[in-house]
Structure formats: C-alpha cells, structure tokens
Amino acid sequence: MIKWTAPAYGWIALNTGRSRKRDHYGKSIGCFSAYYGHYTSMRAEFMALLKGLQLAWEREVKLLDVRMDNKACIQILNTN
C-alpha cells in the first residue's frame, strides 16, 4: 500500500503529482493547478516540479522534500 507520509520536522514536502506543499504535521500550506496543454505526463511532471520549486524559492523555503511518483522523471533527475 502506498500512502503519503509527513516529511521530517521542519521540512516542507512538495508533491508534484498533486502539486501541494505540506508541512511536517501534514497540513497543506499551499497548492496550485495549471493547464500545460497537450504534453506527455513526464513533461507535465517536470513543469509542475519547476513551478513548485519557484514557489518554494519565492517563499524562502529552506528545507524542501521533493516527492514525485513518475519513475522516469526520478531516474532522469538521479543521473549525472
């Protein structure tokens, strides 16, 4: 069973699949939605990640726990 778990104390979770940020208590502290047109799911996932990172930067989030469920995107991000 897959379920959402809260990030470590003081961290903020950025969930790209639902594009919602939550604190360590599981409280939603922000979310967004966007229409990206007719793109692949991978491109939409990366665009959501970029938007989430921009929002975190603007809000001066220091400890960000990025969570993605697209295996191909994760593999790309983990390659040198």
Side-chain angles (χ1 to χ4, degrees):
M1 180 176 176
I2 299 172
K3 66 177 187 168
W4 187 87
T5 57
Y9 183 81
W11 286 72
I12 301 296
L14 168 60
N15 303 285
T16 60
R18 299 259 182 325
S19 301
R20 178 180 296 168
K21 288 196 219 48
R22 295 185 182 195
D23 65 11
H24 54 270
Y25 295 112
K27 177 183 171 193
S28 178
I29 60 169
C31 60
F32 65 88
S33 66
Y35 175 70
Y36 296 123
H38 298 285
Y39 294 117
T40 64
S41 61
M42 186 182 306
R43 182 169 176 148
E45 190 92 5
F46 278 126
M47 292 174 80
L49 173 61
L50 178 60
K51 180 65 175 174
L53 292 173
Q54 289 171 333
L55 291 171
W57 178 266
E58 291 168 5
R59 288 163 178 75
E60 300 181 359
V61 173
K62 303 293 185 214
L63 302 171
L64 188 66
D65 182 353
V66 176
R67 298 168 181 212
M68 301 177 84
D69 60 2
N70 186 311
K71 188 175 181 179
C73 291
I74 294 167
Q75 289 174 335
I76 289 170
L77 292 170
N78 285 327
T79 49
N80 293 330

